[in-house]
Amino acid sequence: MESSQFGTLEDGTKVEAFTLKNTRGASAKVITYGATLTELWMPDRTGKLGDVVLGFDNLQGYLEKSNPYFGATVGRVANRIAKGKFSIDGKEYSLEINNPPNNLHSGPKGIAHAVWKAEPLHEADGAAVRFSIVSPDAKEGYPGNLSVSVTYRLTNNNELKLEYTATTDQPTLVNLTHHSYFNLGSSSDILGEVLYIAGDSYTPVDSTLIPTGEIQSVKGTPLDFTHPTAIGAHIAEMKGNPGGYDHNFVLGGTGKLKLAARASDATSGRQLEVWTTEPGVQFYTGNFLDGTLRGKRGVVYGQHAAFCLETQHYPDSVHHPNFPSVILRPGETFHSETIYKFSTQ
Ligand code: GLA
């Protein structure tokens, strides 16, 4: 495994990069800032490697406020918490409102914006690096010192395996996700890529993207991906400001590793399967990308330049007792796994 310096924060903290390589030529580059995946090179059907995730060439891009969480490990709680307020055991807590009127991705002091410790691991099947961080009590507004780890493994089977753990010293909330933006081909948008989602229901949202609490069938709606469908086939029906998909699909089966989604690109032949122990997956089509971000190799990222499949507990779960709980208590260990598995057709 190669390690190198990726950049330096204003306060002098160094950000390191690790490149995981497998025997098939694939590679994954991860950095200690946000335990972020910055590059993922996977073969097309002719064996030619291509970088299938969006990102920036240098640290500065990741530090900017405009970074839409490219490749980041998001927590303590991914997605939105209504009005940035919640209570545990009758005690109330407030978070920063960074996506008015809500908190998004735990705000600017969240672990997606912090430098993690890294520990390269030497394992039999491929390369791995384990990142860990302590999110201090009250820093983002959450109770408890939360110790989080995420291990990235690149197997010789072209799987990027992510394994998460978390422990706390006070009852708190945990909902960790991975925020890569994938584009499996070379087109400037993903509307022609085909998607299957292994969930026939979703959590409808209000105009601020907070779940209403209902669990609704996708049947007869533009959210029906229970049969492989081009992402762009019904996207125009997804009104909103901006339009497109930004929804949590219900997978169920918390703790059980199961297929969440399968995406493919006919031109490159690349296929991506997402497996997870999480009960939901947020399918997001880069609706907020608007052509103002210039990413790796000078590429301008326009709307729908990529899709995210963020495995997670449902958004705003703390306010919905009918959703699987995101409360972690002292003595418990949160554990989850997500696999992004690549192949060609
Ligand atoms: C998540 C959210 C989106 C958007 C992106 C970051 O996917 O669901 O609404 O905020 O993060 O830009």
Side-chain angles (χ1 to χ4, degrees), residues 183-205:
N183 185 328
L184 303 178
S186 48
S187 168
S188 58
D189 66 60
I190 44 69
L191 300 179
E193 298 189 15
V194 169
L195 181 69
Y196 160 77
I197 299 182
D200 58 12
S201 54
Y202 74 108
T203 49
V205 286

Side-chain angles (χ1 to χ4, degrees), residues 68-69 79-80 99 104-105 179 181 209 246 282 284 288 308 310:
Y69 293 85
N79 216 292
R80 291 172 177 79
N99 187 242
L104 172 68
H105 293 328
H179 212 304
Y181 286 65
L209 299 177
D246 197 354
Q282 181 87 4
Y284 170 57
F288 290 104
C308 301
E310 304 157 56

Side-chain angles (χ1 to χ4, degrees), residues 7 12 38 83 104 168 177 208 231 234 239 322:
T38 61
K83 312 269 176 354
L104 172 68
T168 180
T177 196
T208 73
I231 293 174
H234 302 288
K239 305 289 183 216
N322 57 324

Side-chain angles (χ1 to χ4, degrees), residues 107-181:
K109 297 194 190 106
I111 55 177
H113 307 281
V115 176
W116 298 50
K117 273 201 196 107
E119 182 193 349
L121 305 175
H122 302 283
E123 298 184 339
D125 181 32
V129 57
R130 180 174 184 267
F131 293 107
S132 55
I133 197 164
V134 176
S135 162
D137 179 30
K139 188 177 168 202
E140 306 122 281
Y142 298 105
N145 293 293
L146 186 77
S147 302
V148 184
S149 83
V150 57
T151 303
Y152 281 85
R153 293 186 167 85
L154 180 66
T155 73
N156 290 327
N157 209 13
N158 288 349
E159 296 159 306
L160 185 69
K161 289 190 171 182
L162 308 183
E163 188 183 350
Y164 304 83
T165 66
T167 55
T168 180
D169 59 5
Q170 283 181 53
T172 194
L173 305 184
V174 178
N175 187 6
L176 304 168
T177 196
H178 176 73
H179 212 304
S180 272
Y181 286 65

